[in-house]
Each structure stands twice: as C-alpha cells, then as structure tokens.
Amino acid sequence: MAEPEIQIYQDRESLSEAAAELFVELAGQAAGKFTVALSGGSTPKELYRLLASDKFKNEIDWTKLFFLIGDERDAPPDSPDSNYRMASETLFGPLNISNQQILRWETEHNDPQIITREFERCLERFAAKDQPSAAAGGTDPLPRIDLILLGLGSDAHTASLFPHTDALHETERTAAANRVEKLDTWRFTLTFPVINNAANVVFLAAGADKAEAVQTVIEGNRNTDEFPAQSVYPKNGRLIWLLDDAAARLLTKSRS
Ligand code: 6PG
C-alpha cells in the first residue's frame, strides 16, 4: 500500500473546496462509469453542496457517476437521521441524479439482515466494471469502488465501523449490519474488505474534536479494535487525508 497522502487546510471551507477539486479530478480521470461511496455525518455536507453549486456542477459529467451510501443509520429514508436523505438534499436532488444511479440501504425493510443482504446483492452488480479490475489482473470477487469518502468519529470510528463491534472482523462480506451497543442501535456499513479494495479512499476530518483521533489513527500504535479507522489501508489504491488545521493540530511526523 502506498503511504497516506496528508493534506492540511486552514479551515473547513478550504478543506471542502479542496475535496471538491479532488472529486472533479478523480471523476474526470474515469474513462466510463465512476462509482462513489458517500460518507454520512456533517463534515461532507459542505462538499456535497459545493459539488452541486454553479462553481463545480458543470465540471463533471454526472451521467457517468454512480453513488452508494457508504453507511446508514437504522432510520427510514425520509428521516432527518438518514445519510441517504442528507445526500439527497445536498447532492442528488439539486443535480437531478436519477434513482438508477443511486444505491441506498432499504432501511424500510426493518430487518437488519434483509437490509444488508439486499444492499450486498445490488452492490455486486452496481459496482461491476465493464472490464476485470486491474488490481487482480482479472475479475476480483470484491467490487472495486473508484472513490470512497469517509468521515472520522472522535472515537476513531469510520463509516459505521465502531470500536469493539462485530463488523470490524468481517473479512468476506462487502456489507454488514452492525449492532452498536453504545448507541443502542443497528448501523449498516461497507466492510473493510471492500473499503480496502477501492481505488481511492479519502478521509475528510475537520474540527478540534477530531485531532486526537486523527493523530492516533495516522501516527499512533495500532489497536484496530479500539481505533477502527486504523484498518483502512487500500491494498492497491490511494489513501488521502483531507484535514483542517484544527483536526491536524496534534500530528507530528506526518505533516507534508
Ligand atoms: C455517519 C458517518 C460517520 C461519520 C463520523 C463523522 O453515519 O455519521 O458515516 O462515520 O462520518 O461519525 O461524523 P461528522 O462528520 O458529523 O463529525
């Protein structure tokens, strides 16, 4: 795996701007279909709004893009908690992205195993490329997503891969229903095998409350059960950290 690329920006706004420029660059490099797994949470909202703004929306051929929700809460698609709803309001709606270009977790099924099985079944087809993935020199059983956007919790969780939860140890399946006792809820998430099979993985982290987790994940001693984001290392792809000064405050040796 290549070394993580760490880029630090003065504030959240310039971080989001840089993320939008990177998104345009990566999507522009795609010969055909470009698959993107969107992160949930609040940090990426500004990026999604920027991409749908006059400044960036004409830089991308949106008909080539196929979106999946990288992780989801146990909430209906119209719930304020839904990552799908957040992406719809900030990105899919303003850009008129068709439902055929979106893979979401059908949380209305209510049964965590059905929700996950359905997502996994669709992911295989959704992320299939026209040609075998270059990574394996042939067809790779795992989907190879072109770009996975990830956030980071102050507890060093990413997607819905929380400390000391079962999904951290999933080595086969591409999607998991993850019981998160500390939140007393189910979460739905891509697993590390598919995250680490991606061509580009980009963490977006901003704010002083993320500084300790950023430093621990990038520079700290490995303890992947305690700090799940340490398990993100694309085996044949780029790992990029986009940070603001506040989130990067505790980094020592990793500043470029
Ligand atoms: C979610 C996310 C989660 C998020 C982090 C950071 O469903 O909330 O996928 O992993 O990225 O918790 O969230 P903020 O960006 O809101 O700090």
Side-chain angles (χ1 to χ4, degrees):
M1 179 204 108
E3 279 301 300
E5 302 166 49
I6 296 162
Q7 299 171 22
I8 301 169
Y9 298 90
Q10 182 184 347
D11 53 30
R12 202 178 276 260
E13 290 66 32
S14 43
L15 160 61
S16 301
E17 192 89 17
E21 284 161 6
L22 176 62
F23 190 106
V24 167
E25 177 195 334
L26 294 175
Q29 290 166 359
K33 174 176 175 178
F34 185 76
T35 51
V36 185
L38 297 178
S39 168
S42 58
T43 305
K45 275 185 187 172
E46 185 50 33
L47 163 61
Y48 302 161
R49 288 194 188 103
L50 267 177
L51 288 172
S53 73
D54 290 344
K55 180 164 189 179
F56 286 96
K57 69 182 179 186
N58 299 316
E59 303 293 315
I60 293 176
D61 174 2
W62 295 100
T63 61
K64 282 191 331 184
L65 267 68
F66 288 78
F67 297 90
L68 52 135
I69 306 298
D71 73 297
E72 189 54 277
R73 287 79 175 279
D74 191 11
D78 59 356
S79 159
D81 287 338
S82 164
N83 287 332
Y84 165 72
R85 174 172 157 175
M86 183 271 283
S88 299
E89 290 174 343
T90 53
L91 195 65
F92 302 151
L95 291 170
N96 296 314
I97 303 290
S98 79
N99 286 336
Q100 283 67 43
Q101 293 174 267
I102 302 167
L103 174 57
R104 68 178 180 85
W105 305 78
E106 295 181 356
T107 49
E108 56 273 24
H109 285 312
N110 283 323
D111 178 321
Q113 297 314 322
I114 294 177
I115 294 167
T116 306
R117 254 201 319 275
E118 188 55 26
F119 185 90
E120 204 169 21
R121 188 180 63 79
C122 298
L123 175 59
E124 202 172 316
R125 175 168 40 81
F126 194 80
K129 289 288 186 183
D130 315 335
Q131 68 286 339
S133 66
T139 51
D140 186 332
L142 281 171
R144 182 165 166 79
I145 295 170
D146 293 303
L147 170 60
I148 297 184
L149 297 173
L150 292 175
L152 182 72
S154 52
D155 62 355
H157 83 262
T158 190
S160 284
L161 296 158
F162 285 82
H164 308 293
T165 56
D166 292 347
L168 300 187
H169 309 293
E170 179 54 59
T171 57
E172 304 289 330
R173 299 187 61 183
T174 58
N178 199 21
R179 183 73 196 166
V180 187
E181 290 307 343
K182 77 173 181 181
L183 300 177
D184 188 22
T185 188
W186 284 97
R187 284 287 195 97
F188 305 100
T189 188
L190 290 177
T191 57
F192 287 123
V194 72
I195 291 171
N196 289 330
N197 197 46
N200 299 279
V201 178
V202 178
F203 275 102
L204 302 174
D209 62 322
K210 304 297 174 72
E212 202 171 321
V214 165
Q215 194 280 331
T216 302
V217 171
I218 295 176
E219 299 179 339
N221 296 329
R222 273 181 78 76
N223 179 346
T224 51
D225 241 27
E226 187 68 28
F227 311 116
Q230 288 181 339
S231 290
V232 174
Y233 51 91
K235 55 185 189 296
N236 180 35
R238 291 174 69 185
L239 174 57
I240 302 167
W241 286 83
L242 301 183
L243 304 167
D244 71 354
D245 278 341
R249 182 170 52 84
L250 300 177
L251 287 179
T252 54
K253 51 186 182 295
S254 306
R255 289 175 174 280
S256 47

